Amino acid sequence: MTNDLADAQRAHLARLDQAYAALLAEHGYDGVLLYSGRAHRHFADDQHASFATYGHFLHWVPLAGLEHSWLLIRPGQAPCLHFHAPRDFWHLAPQLPEEAWVEAFEVVYQEDGEAPRLPRGHFAVLGEVSEAQAERLGAALNPEALTLALDELRVRKSAYEVACLREANRRALAGHGAARDAFLAGGAELDCQLAYLKAARIRESALPYQSIVGINAHGGVLHYQHYDAEAPRQAHSLLVDGGHRYRGYCADITRSWAGPAASDDYRALLAGMDRLQRQLVGELAPGIGYVSMQERMHRGLAELLVAHGLVKASAEAAFETGITRAFCPHGLGHLLGLQVHDVGGRQDAQGRPLPPPPAHPALRLTRPLEAGMAITVEPGLYVIPMLLEPLRQGATAGMLDWARVEALGDHGGIRIEDNVVITGTGNDNLTRDLEASP
């Protein structure tokens, strides 16, 4: 950990201290207790599922994977970390790192992981806590107004958080490069995933989400969840959606590559999608509405489909008839931070729910952009038979060159995703900047 990062983290914690004090006063609480959470056992088994530390706890304590710990925050007092450190010979007990941020906390080591007794006053408790636990504590359980206010606090990132996101991107990009090389060397999906993990220096359970590694048609399955152990006879394409986590903060990057057997149409569309993605990123700045950017993506996609002959009608017709939504059913992007799909994306600045428009139900970010937001930008183009089949009927039946569309089926799809921080005057593309650096 560098001195610069340590200084930025101190400033981040000071910012949180002030913001929590103001929000607790506004909502009428003397303090709040944050629970890190715990892993759950599989049904009728003694094995546990993978675990993610509660985001609001992680906002303060940069220890992803820490279970059974509690953080008590009271205005005017040092935050008190009840750190679960059991005496255990079956597992290695967690330890606090020798880092400067620890000095900002009062630390109480405890073996049992039980919630600490609260002092007199009006407190809230947040996290995966039962009603019975909250009743014993005498605290309000996950009050909606306070939770939404704390969600909103995570929307705009501090300099420390941006630095963590940048480092997560750097590590994820190392994995992407290795996965690409494994693919071009004739590897299977499993080979690409193993190469990703090795280059990114991360174990699979520590990833912020399961990597999507789709060769050929599997690249058209949006959340493809398997890794074939055998390479296909012909390698048309590879799509890798892979991330990383640094001090709790997530990278979420997607890249698509042409294989040795890729068609000319696929190669041309891949280049066109890369240009479109860069254009969309170039338009991002404070005040830009992300719903309007979703529309901009679909209009750009319509132009691309027409320019490359997949659609024989006008770009306006491709957009208005919903053809582009069949080729790309997902949203342009989402907020990014301590969660891959971070909190606060579908609400306005006052914390009120703001659902996506009916035409784009999968859009996870419906609010105007603000300085400090970290977002993803991920336009896609896929050949998904169940979505394209209805276009063979009605007004759209003669609007597509079906032979060319079907020929792309073996290539699956294209998605290009960068992680971008909105600045006061424009944006900082964490992903492309690192790709371009030596």
Side-chain angles (χ1 to χ4, degrees):
M1 184 179 184
T2 66
N3 289 334
D4 287 346
L5 187 61
D7 290 342
Q9 189 173 10
R10 288 191 191 95
H12 168 75
L13 291 173
R15 169 180 174 255
L16 284 185
D17 191 65
Q18 293 177 357
Y20 265 66
L23 289 173
L24 289 170
E26 178 184 343
H27 291 271
Y29 293 100
D30 296 309
V32 60
L33 183 64
L34 306 177
Y35 180 44
S36 68
R38 61 182 178 86
H40 293 274
R41 285 186 179 181
H42 295 295
F43 178 71
D45 200 343
D46 64 354
Q47 299 296 309
H48 288 78
S50 59
F51 168 73
T53 302
Y54 180 47
H56 288 312
F57 182 96
L58 202 56
H59 205 190
W60 288 82
V61 181
L63 299 175
L66 182 63
E67 298 182 67
H68 302 294
S69 295
W70 304 80
L71 182 64
L72 178 60
I73 300 164
R74 290 175 289 175
Q77 300 188 41
C80 185
L81 173 60
H82 293 258
F83 184 79
H84 184 228
R87 290 170 56 84
D88 188 1
F89 56 84
W90 291 105
H91 305 93
L92 182 65
Q95 294 181 327
L96 283 171
E98 295 182 2
E99 294 183 356
W101 66 265
V102 178
E103 299 170 4
F105 294 82
E106 176 190 352
V107 179
V108 176
Y109 293 91
Q110 61 182 53
E111 294 185 20
D112 57 15
E114 292 296 320
R117 183 171 296 179
L118 294 174
R120 291 181 179 274
H122 187 207
F123 286 82
V125 58
L126 270 61
E128 191 180 13
V129 177
S130 70
E131 292 184 4
Q133 283 179 298
E135 187 175 346
R136 286 196 298 270
L137 287 166
L141 177 59
N142 293 317
E144 183 179 17
L146 179 61
T147 302
L148 288 174
L150 296 180
D151 288 352
E152 188 65 19
L153 183 60
R154 282 169 46 188
V155 168
R156 299 159 202 82
K157 305 299 187 288
S158 65
Y160 163 75
E161 293 176 286
V162 173
C164 291
L165 290 166
R166 194 182 305 275
E167 178 61 17
N169 265 256
R170 186 188 69 79
R171 297 182 183 203
L173 283 169
H176 278 272
R180 173 203 60 209
D181 293 346
F183 167 68
L184 295 177
E189 291 167 353
L190 181 59
D191 298 310
C192 296
Q193 170 68 350
L194 294 175
Y196 185 103
L197 296 172
K198 182 178 181 180
R201 307 298 295 166
I202 192 169
R203 61 188 295 178
E204 197 158 53
S205 61
L207 290 169
Y209 58 95
Q210 180 178 311
S211 301
I212 299 168
V213 182
I215 291 178
N216 295 348
H218 291 162
V221 182
L222 299 184
H223 286 170
Y224 175 64
Q225 72 273 40
H226 305 294
Y227 305 124
D228 274 359
E230 301 295 330
R233 293 182 180 178
Q234 289 189 308
H236 299 287
S237 62
L238 170 68
L239 185 151
V240 175
D241 188 336
H244 209 289
R245 190 186 287 276
Y246 180 70
R247 303 178 77 84
Y249 290 87
C250 305
D252 179 8
I253 301 169
T254 309
R255 289 292 181 266
S256 301
W257 293 282
S263 69
D264 290 342
D265 269 350
Y266 179 84
R267 293 178 187 276
L269 288 167
L270 180 58
M273 285 296 293
D274 186 68
R275 288 191 297 272
L276 174 59
Q277 197 268 357
R278 290 173 184 266
Q279 291 168 5
L280 293 169
V281 172
E283 297 175 17
L284 301 178
I288 298 294
Y290 221 61
V291 173
S292 68
M293 291 304 301
Q294 175 82 3
E295 300 280 336
R296 173 72 184 88
M297 175 188 73
H298 277 278
R299 291 189 179 277
L301 183 57
E303 293 170 4
L304 186 66
L305 292 170
V306 171
H308 291 278
L310 274 72
V311 172
K312 297 182 288 184
S314 67
E316 184 65 20
F319 174 79
E320 293 293 342
T321 57
I323 287 175
T324 59
R325 293 196 293 277
F327 279 97
C328 183
H330 63 69
L332 176 60
H334 49 80
L335 291 179
L336 181 70
L338 292 166
Q339 294 167 229
V340 176
H341 301 143
D342 213 4
V343 292
R346 283 179 172 168
Q347 61 190 52
D348 61 20
Q350 286 71 47
R352 294 173 301 210
L354 191 63
H360 307 288
L363 181 60
R364 289 187 169 97
L365 178 54
T366 56
R367 58 193 295 172
L369 300 179
E370 300 176 43
M373 285 182 174
I375 65 172
T376 67
V377 186
E378 48 184 302
L381 192 167
Y382 315 89
V383 177
I384 304 174
M386 69 177 292
L387 298 182
L388 293 172
E389 195 62 28
L391 300 180
R392 294 181 183 272
Q393 309 296 323
T396 57
M399 295 173 66
L400 280 79
D401 185 332
W402 287 105
R404 297 184 72 177
V405 171
E406 289 166 0
L408 286 167
D410 288 339
H411 298 72
I414 300 166
R415 182 162 67 252
I416 301 171
E417 177 183 18
D418 292 345
N419 300 169
V420 179
V421 174
I422 306 303
T423 66
T425 57
N427 67 79
D428 179 6
N429 190 328
L430 306 181
T431 313
R432 298 279 186 173
D433 288 351
L434 287 165
E435 273 188 325
S437 62

mmCIF file with all atom_site columns, all heavy atoms in Angstrom, residues 302-316:
data_model
loop_
_atom_site.group_PDB
_atom_site.id
_atom_site.type_symbol
_atom_site.label_atom_id
_atom_site.label_alt_id
_atom_site.label_comp_id
_atom_site.label_asym_id
_atom_site.label_entity_id
_atom_site.label_seq_id
_atom_site.pdbx_PDB_ins_code
_atom_site.Cartn_x
_atom_site.Cartn_y
_atom_site.Cartn_z
_atom_site.occupancy
_atom_site.B_iso_or_equiv
_atom_site.pdbx_formal_charge
_atom_site.auth_seq_id
_atom_site.auth_comp_id
_atom_site.auth_asym_id
_atom_site.auth_atom_id
_atom_site.pdbx_PDB_model_num
ATOM 1   N N   . ALA A 1 302 ? -28.375 0.449  -34.721 1.00 0.00 ? 302 ALA A N   1
ATOM 2   C CA  . ALA A 1 302 ? -29.179 0.402  -35.939 1.00 0.00 ? 302 ALA A CA  1
ATOM 3   C C   . ALA A 1 302 ? -28.350 0.830  -37.152 1.00 0.00 ? 302 ALA A C   1
ATOM 4   O O   . ALA A 1 302 ? -28.392 0.186  -38.214 1.00 0.00 ? 302 ALA A O   1
ATOM 5   C CB  . ALA A 1 302 ? -30.400 1.309  -35.792 1.00 0.00 ? 302 ALA A CB  1
ATOM 6   N N   . GLU A 1 303 ? -27.596 1.892  -36.997 1.00 0.00 ? 303 GLU A N   1
ATOM 7   C CA  . GLU A 1 303 ? -26.739 2.358  -38.099 1.00 0.00 ? 303 GLU A CA  1
ATOM 8   C C   . GLU A 1 303 ? -25.705 1.301  -38.468 1.00 0.00 ? 303 GLU A C   1
ATOM 9   O O   . GLU A 1 303 ? -25.402 1.088  -39.657 1.00 0.00 ? 303 GLU A O   1
ATOM 10  C CB  . GLU A 1 303 ? -26.061 3.658  -37.687 1.00 0.00 ? 303 GLU A CB  1
ATOM 11  C CG  . GLU A 1 303 ? -27.035 4.828  -37.520 1.00 0.00 ? 303 GLU A CG  1
ATOM 12  C CD  . GLU A 1 303 ? -26.385 6.037  -36.873 1.00 0.00 ? 303 GLU A CD  1
ATOM 13  O OE1 . GLU A 1 303 ? -25.151 5.978  -36.618 1.00 0.00 ? 303 GLU A OE1 1
ATOM 14  O OE2 . GLU A 1 303 ? -27.096 7.024  -36.618 1.00 0.00 ? 303 GLU A OE2 1
ATOM 15  N N   . LEU A 1 304 ? -25.160 0.632  -37.473 1.00 0.00 ? 304 LEU A N   1
ATOM 16  C CA  . LEU A 1 304 ? -24.156 -0.397 -37.726 1.00 0.00 ? 304 LEU A CA  1
ATOM 17  C C   . LEU A 1 304 ? -24.761 -1.588 -38.467 1.00 0.00 ? 304 LEU A C   1
ATOM 18  O O   . LEU A 1 304 ? -24.177 -2.106 -39.433 1.00 0.00 ? 304 LEU A O   1
ATOM 19  C CB  . LEU A 1 304 ? -23.556 -0.846 -36.392 1.00 0.00 ? 304 LEU A CB  1
ATOM 20  C CG  . LEU A 1 304 ? -22.388 -1.827 -36.442 1.00 0.00 ? 304 LEU A CG  1
ATOM 21  C CD1 . LEU A 1 304 ? -21.165 -1.176 -37.079 1.00 0.00 ? 304 LEU A CD1 1
ATOM 22  C CD2 . LEU A 1 304 ? -22.046 -2.316 -35.036 1.00 0.00 ? 304 LEU A CD2 1
ATOM 23  N N   . LEU A 1 305 ? -25.948 -2.033 -38.055 1.00 0.00 ? 305 LEU A N   1
ATOM 24  C CA  . LEU A 1 305 ? -26.597 -3.165 -38.702 1.00 0.00 ? 305 LEU A CA  1
ATOM 25  C C   . LEU A 1 305 ? -26.945 -2.866 -40.155 1.00 0.00 ? 305 LEU A C   1
ATOM 26  O O   . LEU A 1 305 ? -26.826 -3.732 -41.028 1.00 0.00 ? 305 LEU A O   1
ATOM 27  C CB  . LEU A 1 305 ? -27.866 -3.538 -37.924 1.00 0.00 ? 305 LEU A CB  1
ATOM 28  C CG  . LEU A 1 305 ? -27.661 -4.125 -36.521 1.00 0.00 ? 305 LEU A CG  1
ATOM 29  C CD1 . LEU A 1 305 ? -28.989 -4.210 -35.779 1.00 0.00 ? 305 LEU A CD1 1
ATOM 30  C CD2 . LEU A 1 305 ? -27.012 -5.505 -36.592 1.00 0.00 ? 305 LEU A CD2 1
ATOM 31  N N   . VAL A 1 306 ? -27.350 -1.631 -40.412 1.00 0.00 ? 306 VAL A N   1
ATOM 32  C CA  . VAL A 1 306 ? -27.666 -1.236 -41.785 1.00 0.00 ? 306 VAL A CA  1
ATOM 33  C C   . VAL A 1 306 ? -26.392 -1.121 -42.614 1.00 0.00 ? 306 VAL A C   1
ATOM 34  O O   . VAL A 1 306 ? -26.314 -1.606 -43.748 1.00 0.00 ? 306 VAL A O   1
ATOM 35  C CB  . VAL A 1 306 ? -28.454 0.090  -41.794 1.00 0.00 ? 306 VAL A CB  1
ATOM 36  C CG1 . VAL A 1 306 ? -28.599 0.624  -43.213 1.00 0.00 ? 306 VAL A CG1 1
ATOM 37  C CG2 . VAL A 1 306 ? -29.840 -0.118 -41.164 1.00 0.00 ? 306 VAL A CG2 1
ATOM 38  N N   . ALA A 1 307 ? -25.371 -0.479 -42.044 1.00 0.00 ? 307 ALA A N   1
ATOM 39  C CA  . ALA A 1 307 ? -24.124 -0.264 -42.776 1.00 0.00 ? 307 ALA A CA  1
ATOM 40  C C   . ALA A 1 307 ? -23.473 -1.583 -43.192 1.00 0.00 ? 307 ALA A C   1
ATOM 41  O O   . ALA A 1 307 ? -22.825 -1.657 -44.243 1.00 0.00 ? 307 ALA A O   1
ATOM 42  C CB  . ALA A 1 307 ? -23.158 0.556  -41.930 1.00 0.00 ? 307 ALA A CB  1
ATOM 43  N N   . HIS A 1 308 ? -23.654 -2.634 -42.404 1.00 0.00 ? 308 HIS A N   1
ATOM 44  C CA  . HIS A 1 308 ? -23.022 -3.918 -42.704 1.00 0.00 ? 308 HIS A CA  1
ATOM 45  C C   . HIS A 1 308 ? -23.985 -4.920 -43.331 1.00 0.00 ? 308 HIS A C   1
ATOM 46  O O   . HIS A 1 308 ? -23.651 -6.106 -43.443 1.00 0.00 ? 308 HIS A O   1
ATOM 47  C CB  . HIS A 1 308 ? -22.387 -4.486 -41.442 1.00 0.00 ? 308 HIS A CB  1
ATOM 48  C CG  . HIS A 1 308 ? -21.199 -3.697 -40.990 1.00 0.00 ? 308 HIS A CG  1
ATOM 49  N ND1 . HIS A 1 308 ? -19.937 -3.853 -41.531 1.00 0.00 ? 308 HIS A ND1 1
ATOM 50  C CD2 . HIS A 1 308 ? -21.083 -2.692 -40.084 1.00 0.00 ? 308 HIS A CD2 1
ATOM 51  C CE1 . HIS A 1 308 ? -19.091 -3.010 -40.947 1.00 0.00 ? 308 HIS A CE1 1
ATOM 52  N NE2 . HIS A 1 308 ? -19.769 -2.283 -40.077 1.00 0.00 ? 308 HIS A NE2 1
ATOM 53  N N   . GLY A 1 309 ? -25.172 -4.459 -43.699 1.00 0.00 ? 309 GLY A N   1
ATOM 54  C CA  . GLY A 1 309 ? -26.058 -5.268 -44.507 1.00 0.00 ? 309 GLY A CA  1
ATOM 55  C C   . GLY A 1 309 ? -26.890 -6.292 -43.783 1.00 0.00 ? 309 GLY A C   1
ATOM 56  O O   . GLY A 1 309 ? -27.605 -7.072 -44.433 1.00 0.00 ? 309 GLY A O   1
ATOM 57  N N   . LEU A 1 310 ? -26.868 -6.314 -42.466 1.00 0.00 ? 310 LEU A N   1
ATOM 58  C CA  . LEU A 1 310 ? -27.716 -7.263 -41.763 1.00 0.00 ? 310 LEU A CA  1
ATOM 59  C C   . LEU A 1 310 ? -29.174 -6.812 -41.773 1.00 0.00 ? 310 LEU A C   1
ATOM 60  O O   . LEU A 1 310 ? -30.084 -7.639 -41.760 1.00 0.00 ? 310 LEU A O   1
ATOM 61  C CB  . LEU A 1 310 ? -27.239 -7.454 -40.324 1.00 0.00 ? 310 LEU A CB  1
ATOM 62  C CG  . LEU A 1 310 ? -26.134 -8.500 -40.120 1.00 0.00 ? 310 LEU A CG  1
ATOM 63  C CD1 . LEU A 1 310 ? -24.795 -8.000 -40.657 1.00 0.00 ? 310 LEU A CD1 1
ATOM 64  C CD2 . LEU A 1 310 ? -26.007 -8.870 -38.652 1.00 0.00 ? 310 LEU A CD2 1
ATOM 65  N N   . VAL A 1 311 ? -29.386 -5.513 -41.787 1.00 0.00 ? 311 VAL A N   1
ATOM 66  C CA  . VAL A 1 311 ? -30.717 -4.933 -41.899 1.00 0.00 ? 311 VAL A CA  1
ATOM 67  C C   . VAL A 1 311 ? -30.821 -4.230 -43.241 1.00 0.00 ? 311 VAL A C   1
ATOM 68  O O   . VAL A 1 311 ? -29.952 -3.414 -43.594 1.00 0.00 ? 311 VAL A O   1
ATOM 69  C CB  . VAL A 1 311 ? -30.995 -3.957 -40.742 1.00 0.00 ? 311 VAL A CB  1
ATOM 70  C CG1 . VAL A 1 311 ? -32.294 -3.202 -40.972 1.00 0.00 ? 311 VAL A CG1 1
ATOM 71  C CG2 . VAL A 1 311 ? -31.056 -4.716 -39.413 1.00 0.00 ? 311 VAL A CG2 1
ATOM 72  N N   . LYS A 1 312 ? -31.899 -4.543 -43.988 1.00 0.00 ? 312 LYS A N   1
ATOM 73  C CA  . LYS A 1 312 ? -32.063 -3.992 -45.330 1.00 0.00 ? 312 LYS A CA  1
ATOM 74  C C   . LYS A 1 312 ? -32.941 -2.754 -45.340 1.00 0.00 ? 312 LYS A C   1
ATOM 75  O O   . LYS A 1 312 ? -33.130 -2.143 -46.397 1.00 0.00 ? 312 LYS A O   1
ATOM 76  C CB  . LYS A 1 312 ? -32.647 -5.065 -46.249 1.00 0.00 ? 312 LYS A CB  1
ATOM 77  C CG  . LYS A 1 312 ? -31.733 -6.275 -46.414 1.00 0.00 ? 312 LYS A CG  1
ATOM 78  C CD  . LYS A 1 312 ? -32.297 -7.303 -47.373 1.00 0.00 ? 312 LYS A CD  1
ATOM 79  C CE  . LYS A 1 312 ? -33.486 -8.041 -46.789 1.00 0.00 ? 312 LYS A CE  1
ATOM 80  N NZ  . LYS A 1 312 ? -33.979 -9.127 -47.691 1.00 0.00 ? 312 LYS A NZ  1
ATOM 81  N N   . ALA A 1 313 ? -33.486 -2.376 -44.197 1.00 0.00 ? 313 ALA A N   1
ATOM 82  C CA  . ALA A 1 313 ? -34.318 -1.177 -44.090 1.00 0.00 ? 313 ALA A CA  1
ATOM 83  C C   . ALA A 1 313 ? -33.448 -0.013 -43.604 1.00 0.00 ? 313 ALA A C   1
ATOM 84  O O   . ALA A 1 313 ? -32.228 -0.118 -43.510 1.00 0.00 ? 313 ALA A O   1
ATOM 85  C CB  . ALA A 1 313 ? -35.469 -1.441 -43.137 1.00 0.00 ? 313 ALA A CB  1
ATOM 86  N N   . SER A 1 314 ? -34.098 1.098  -43.277 1.00 0.00 ? 314 SER A N   1
ATOM 87  C CA  . SER A 1 314 ? -33.367 2.260  -42.767 1.00 0.00 ? 314 SER A CA  1
ATOM 88  C C   . SER A 1 314 ? -32.994 2.050  -41.300 1.00 0.00 ? 314 SER A C   1
ATOM 89  O O   . SER A 1 314 ? -33.595 1.237  -40.585 1.00 0.00 ? 314 SER A O   1
ATOM 90  C CB  . SER A 1 314 ? -34.219 3.516  -42.893 1.00 0.00 ? 314 SER A CB  1
ATOM 91  O OG  . SER A 1 314 ? -35.340 3.440  -42.020 1.00 0.00 ? 314 SER A OG  1
ATOM 92  N N   . ALA A 1 315 ? -32.014 2.818  -40.856 1.00 0.00 ? 315 ALA A N   1
ATOM 93  C CA  . ALA A 1 315 ? -31.631 2.759  -39.441 1.00 0.00 ? 315 ALA A CA  1
ATOM 94  C C   . ALA A 1 315 ? -32.791 3.185  -38.550 1.00 0.00 ? 315 ALA A C   1
ATOM 95  O O   . ALA A 1 315 ? -33.004 2.621  -37.472 1.00 0.00 ? 315 ALA A O   1
ATOM 96  C CB  . ALA A 1 315 ? -30.404 3.634  -39.193 1.00 0.00 ? 315 ALA A CB  1
ATOM 97  N N   . GLU A 1 316 ? -33.557 4.177  -38.991 1.00 0.00 ? 316 GLU A N   1
ATOM 98  C CA  . GLU A 1 316 ? -34.700 4.634  -38.201 1.00 0.00 ? 316 GLU A CA  1
ATOM 99  C C   . GLU A 1 316 ? -35.734 3.518  -38.056 1.00 0.00 ? 316 GLU A C   1
ATOM 100 O O   . GLU A 1 316 ? -36.286 3.305  -36.966 1.00 0.00 ? 316 GLU A O   1
ATOM 101 C CB  . GLU A 1 316 ? -35.343 5.852  -38.860 1.00 0.00 ? 316 GLU A CB  1
ATOM 102 C CG  . GLU A 1 316 ? -36.494 6.461  -38.069 1.00 0.00 ? 316 GLU A CG  1
ATOM 103 C CD  . GLU A 1 316 ? -36.060 7.059  -36.735 1.00 0.00 ? 316 GLU A CD  1
ATOM 104 O OE1 . GLU A 1 316 ? -34.864 7.356  -36.571 1.00 0.00 ? 316 GLU A OE1 1
ATOM 105 O OE2 . GLU A 1 316 ? -36.932 7.207  -35.854 1.00 0.00 ? 316 GLU A OE2 1
#
